[in-house]
Amino acid sequence: MSLVKEVYTIHYLDIGQGEPVVLIHGLGSIKESWENQYELSSNYRLIIPDLRGHGESQEYNNISISVFAQDILSLLAKLGIKKAHFCGLSMGGLVVQEIYCQNNQIVRSMVLSNTFSYAPTCLGQLTVMKGARNLHSSTSDEYTTYTAEKCLYRKETNLIDAAKKMFLIKKTPYLASSFSAIKSNYLPILPFVKAPTLIIGGQYDEVNPLFSVLQTKWFMPRAELVILGNCGHLPILEKKNEYNHLLHRFFHKYQESFL
């Protein structure tokens, strides 16, 4: 059973029992986007927040990767959680890296899924500006459909419909989050990360190309790398069974050694 709770402006799901696993969604997405991963609650306590300005959150001020991390750390403190596994998809992966920067002692292990650690400034700005133009010239449904299709390798109707349900795009926090994301640069800290790390990429990810995934891996030679074949930006949907198996195997591997 899931239970939606709120701390300050944070709405979140708290599902299952066991070692805490924090699942952090991507840009314009919602906590329910992790629905296909709820089955992990049979082995872990899943903490799944809506980031500030996303999902049920009505707080649109101070939108940034740094504040996202602060919000989650505050939530975990309220819950009395001193150690957790973290998994972030896309922008959520940036939040995981920021959490490690702010409090590495709370990170038992981390999964950086379909994300990056640094985007060249000019490329990042061009990408965000293009997205902003499309966002302003489209209806909400049109932009959500565009986003869902871009995130998928298989452009099948049933998958597009399922992917659309993972997003609730609010223009103001969406753009603020985008600009904060492209300013991120975690490359300098990666070689010094001590927490076990799994990096996941999609073979045909149009949103976060493999170059970005391999760049992160190059700076973290001890990290484990898995590239999911015939997959786009949403392995939590397109490769849900394989993805869940990867997470369970990885978290189980490290849940004892760091107790």
Side-chain angles (χ1 to χ4, degrees):
M1 294 294 291
S2 65
L3 182 63
V4 178
K5 302 179 181 180
E6 182 180 4
V7 172
Y8 302 117
T9 58
I10 304 177
H11 293 258
Y12 67 98
L13 298 169
D14 189 342
I15 313 171
Q17 297 181 338
E19 286 199 355
V21 170
V22 182
L23 302 177
I24 307 175
H25 65 73
L27 176 65
S29 195
I30 57 178
K31 59 186 179 300
E32 289 81 8
S33 63
W34 293 100
E35 181 178 8
N36 291 318
Q37 284 64 57
Y38 290 175
E39 66 180 55
L40 294 171
S41 64
S42 60
N43 294 288
Y44 306 98
R45 179 185 179 185
L46 304 181
I47 307 297
I48 315 175
D50 274 329
L51 296 177
R52 182 180 295 236
H54 291 71
E56 294 184 83
S57 171
Q58 299 301 313
E59 178 57 75
Y60 295 172
N61 294 320
N62 302 317
I63 299 290
S64 72
I65 301 300
S66 177
V67 172
F68 291 154
Q70 291 170 24
D71 287 342
I72 292 174
L73 288 170
S74 295
L75 171 62
L76 296 180
K78 284 286 184 180
L79 296 175
I81 295 174
K82 297 180 179 180
K83 214 58 156 161
H85 304 278
F86 291 83
C87 174
L89 177 73
S90 192
M91 186 181 74
L94 295 177
V95 179
V96 171
Q97 293 172 80
E98 178 63 28
I99 287 172
Y100 188 87
C101 288
Q102 292 187 20
N103 182 6
N104 60 26
Q105 294 301 308
I106 202 171
V107 181
R108 191 180 300 283
S109 71
M110 59 185 186
V111 178
L112 305 178
S113 181
N114 301 77
T115 190
F116 61 93
S117 299
Y118 169 72
T121 303
C122 58
L123 178 61
Q125 289 178 344
L126 287 173
T127 300
V128 170
M129 294 307 296
K130 179 182 178 181
R133 288 195 299 270
N134 290 338
L135 181 60
H136 286 302
S137 63
S138 306
T139 66
S140 177
D141 185 67
E142 286 172 343
Y143 194 78
T144 302
T145 300
Y146 162 79
T147 300
E149 291 179 348
K150 189 173 181 63
C151 285
L152 295 168
Y153 167 62
R154 291 180 289 143
K155 320 290 187 183
E156 299 170 5
T157 301
N158 63 321
L159 288 176
I160 293 172
D161 289 342
K164 287 176 65 175
K165 294 177 182 178
M166 295 178 165
F167 294 95
L168 179 60
I169 297 174
K170 308 174 187 178
K171 290 185 179 181
T172 299
Y174 185 90
L175 292 175
S177 300
S178 299
F179 280 109
S180 178
I182 64 169
K183 294 177 183 177
S184 301
N185 182 5
Y186 296 103
L187 295 183
I189 66 107
L190 296 184
F192 307 102
V193 170
K194 296 181 180 180
T197 303
L198 170 63
I199 301 169
I200 299 176
Q203 182 183 10
Y204 299 111
D205 191 335
E206 298 178 38
V207 178
N208 188 74
L210 279 181
F211 168 79
S212 297
V213 174
L214 296 175
Q215 180 187 60
T216 298
K217 168 59 179 173
W218 193 86
F219 278 82
M220 302 183 75
R222 291 177 295 177
E224 182 179 350
L225 173 66
V226 175
I227 304 299
L228 296 173
N230 297 325
C231 185
H233 193 60
L234 293 177
I236 60 175
L237 172 61
E238 286 191 281
K239 293 282 186 175
K240 57 186 179 182
N241 293 331
E242 187 174 350
Y243 193 86
N244 292 348
H245 176 73
L246 278 174
L247 293 194
H248 175 62
R249 176 188 59 78
F250 180 72
F251 294 143
H252 179 72
K253 180 179 180 180
Y254 290 105
Q255 65 181 354
E256 295 297 334
S257 60
F258 281 76
L259 288 177

